[in-house]
Amino acid sequence: MLHQYLVSFEMLMTPQIILSIAGGVFGGLFIGAIPGLTSTMAIALLVPLTFAMEPVHGLAMLMGVYCGGISGGLVASCLLNIPGTPSSAATCLDGFPMARRGQAPRALGLAVYSSFSGGVLSGLCLIVIAPLLARFALRFGPWEYFALVIFTFSCVSSLSSGSTLKAFIAAGIGLALALVGTDPVDGIVRFTFGFDDFESGFNVMPALIGVFALPQLFQDADDVGKEAKLLDVEFRMKAFVDAGLEVLKHKVSLLRSTVIGIIVGILPGVGPGLSNVVAYAQEKATSRTPEKFGQGVLPEAIIAPESSNNASMGGALIPLLTLGIPGDASTMMMLGTFMLHNIQPGPLLFRDSGDLVYAIFIAFFISFGFMLLFYHLFIRYIIKALLVPAQFLIPVLVVLCAIGCYALNNRIFDVYCFVAFGAFGYLLKQFKFPVLPLILGLMLGHMAETQFRLAISMSNGSLLPFLARPISAFLLVASILSLVLPYYLEARRARRTGPVVSVIPPDAA
Amino acid sequence: MRTADRISAILLLLGSVFMLFETEHVKTTAYQILSNKLFPHIIFGLVIALALLLLVSTFLSRATSTLPAGYWRRAVGGRRVITLGLICLYVLVMPVIGFLPASAGFVVVTTGAISPKPRRDIPIAFAVAAGVAGLIYLIFVYWLQVFLP
């Protein structure tokens, strides 16, 4: 294995790839810093740049974008009291009050060093768990894969914000949309209604970009003209660096939040958007001075959310790389990029393209190194990014998304899909349907159909093997539990203590 | 929200029933063990069942609407609809006048349409549009060799 790591390290150590990772982190940091633009948007905007690159080159760069996009949100949280990305929602609670007390460099330093520590620790976890899980997943047959898809849908539906029923409907619509085009088993064209463009089905990337980017931009259009109230910061590098030592003094908080981040990241359907809130709530629950939370005096109140959201990145990459199951919107975008480069994540990826997988792991660590470096070098400029007027940003982002979709296949149809999915995603959001299950349905639809038909054919039409095979049965039982358990626990808690006010913001999941 | 849920449930029901009938037009092959219509039937059947459940739940639920005042007016009004309209116009015009002119025009027009101070912002928008068009040309046409419409 060490040999493979060395080979992968050698693959990455070219000036072009290192520069691409650095560029990815840089771009991700700036995009993530702008309120309303998420790491998903950062990946969507920068994916087209990878088209002409070798897979290892492109994916290494995207690791940088992913890292920068998630980490970039902390600046707006600390200085504007607006989370740059949902993954920094809980950072506002103490980051902004600390900055308002005249300790902005300390707040930013705590957030940056916690992000770095959480990310690196989750990366270590990733390189230990992912190969083991991939080896285990080699035992999976079509029954297990289909059960895994069901498990993913049930997790996403029960953990998505809003109604579980609506989440299932959104997943059903996604699966229905995946039926359009060529049947993945027989190659028969279906549901095209005479349109030739439908024959190849809906490309996942335009759908993803449309559903996640356009509704956000429509909402941002409402905020045009609202002046951002940026704190007047006197930036002192010494206080910023000293905060790094302060993070090390809070090892227990750091480790606890990192573990929470990794576990939440592994769960399908949720990611950094939820883990930062859970880690913050957990930190407050275990604190000896919970009354001081929200006042900007406790470093652990910033360490917890920031280390957990970056730790979720490593966690989310585990099911993505080993099983081909994305955990959240950003990893969905990553899966789309893998597909673009004709790479199918799953256990066979570790066996057949181990060097690529290990290169991704190494790129993950290099990205965090660049993230830390860039925050030291460019934080003053990243703060300036918060003030870019939305009236210029919105049309430019639409144009960049459109060119990204067009350049996938040089097809104008993909641009139409981008707009259609964007409008549909906006409509679903207004009707309070979560969009994550919709895209998951579209992405996993072919896999679900292929594995289901293969499983039924191999067992001569019997459904019994789904329950007779232990892993498949376990996953199906876990699917039912994931749907039932939250209701049961909520009902039990309500019986004991009365109704509980959630600390989780509606958009966190 | 109940009325909105009812509307969405009815639309979903109609769409799914239509697609269920449409499944009968899918060609079959003679050699297969399992019909290729089975999976689409399951999916559309599932959506119908879930939509029915949503419809029924709107009649059984006693919860009052939790939407903030002016929610729907904001959802379909003002800058959001202008932006959507201009995006639709942009993609329709794109194949006719070309990607770069359409994009530059879109940036200028959209900035003017959503800006609170258009007179101040439009000259800047022209510079932004030129920069974006130049950047796209450099990256996509020159470097990635994409054939733009």
Side-chain angles (χ1 to χ4, degrees), chain A residues 217-286:
Chain A
L217 293 177
F218 295 151
Q219 284 174 6
D220 289 348
D222 266 356
D223 297 333
V224 170
K226 287 180 188 164
E227 289 287 323
K229 288 178 186 139
L230 184 69
L231 284 179
D232 196 12
V233 181
E234 190 194 328
F235 196 80
R236 296 180 305 277
M237 187 53 80
K238 189 179 177 310
F240 183 76
V241 176
D242 285 348
L245 300 172
E246 219 175 330
V247 171
L248 291 177
K249 283 182 196 159
H250 292 83
K251 288 186 199 75
V252 178
S253 300
L254 182 68
L255 285 174
R256 182 171 39 223
S257 308
T258 301
V259 170
I260 290 172
I262 293 168
I263 293 170
V264 173
I266 291 173
L267 288 174
V270 285
L274 182 67
S275 68
N276 75 102
V277 184
V278 175
Y280 183 86
Q282 188 59 33
E283 198 57 39
K284 191 175 176 182
T286 54

Side-chain angles (χ1 to χ4, degrees), chain A residues 48-49 51-53 146 165-166 168-169 172-173 175-176 179-180 183 186 188-191 193 214 217-219 221-225 390-392 394-396 398-400 402-404 406-407 410 412 415-416 418-419 423 426 429-433 445 448-449 452-453 456-457 460-461, chain B residues 1 4-5 8 12 18-19 22-23 26-29 31-34 36 38-40 42-44 47 50-51 53-54 67 71-72 74-75 79-80 83-84 87-88 90-91 94-95 99 103 106-107 110-111 114-116 120-121 124-125 128 132 136 139-140 143-144 146-149:
Chain A
L49 300 181
F51 292 168
M53 296 175 180
F146 183 71
L165 177 60
K166 286 185 174 179
F168 263 111
I169 292 176
I173 298 171
L175 285 167
L179 293 171
V180 175
D183 179 333
D186 299 322
I188 290 170
V189 173
R190 58 193 180 180
F191 307 118
F193 304 101
L214 279 188
L217 293 177
F218 295 151
Q219 284 174 6
D222 266 356
D223 297 333
V224 170
Q391 63 266 36
F392 300 116
I394 292 168
V396 170
V398 171
V399 169
L400 294 180
I403 181 70
Y406 175 79
N410 287 359
I412 200 80
V415 184
Y416 296 151
F418 153 67
V419 176
Y426 178 69
K429 272 194 164 180
Q430 296 311 310
F431 279 80
K432 303 283 178 197
F433 284 84
E449 182 172 9
F452 177 74
R453 288 172 66 178
I456 298 285
S457 298
N460 288 323
Chain B
M1 200 68 214
D5 283 350
S8 53
L12 273 167
F18 170 75
M19 291 304 288
E22 197 59 32
T23 309
V26 174
K27 286 180 197 159
T28 49
T29 49
Y31 56 83
Q32 57 198 1
I33 302 167
L34 190 75
N36 57 351
L38 178 64
F39 195 75
I42 292 173
I43 298 301
F44 295 126
V47 178
L50 292 170
L53 213 60
L54 180 65
L67 294 176
Y71 177 83
W72 292 110
R74 216 171 30 250
R79 293 192 179 114
R80 295 188 189 191
T83 312
L84 176 61
I87 292 172
C88 291
Y90 166 52
V91 295
M94 193 189 286
F99 188 90
S103 300
F106 172 73
V107 170
T110 308
T111 304
I114 64 174
S115 168
R120 183 199 63 185
D121 287 339
I124 306 170
V128 173
V132 169
I136 289 174
I139 294 176
F140 289 92
W143 181 40
L144 295 175
V146 172
F147 293 98
L148 294 179

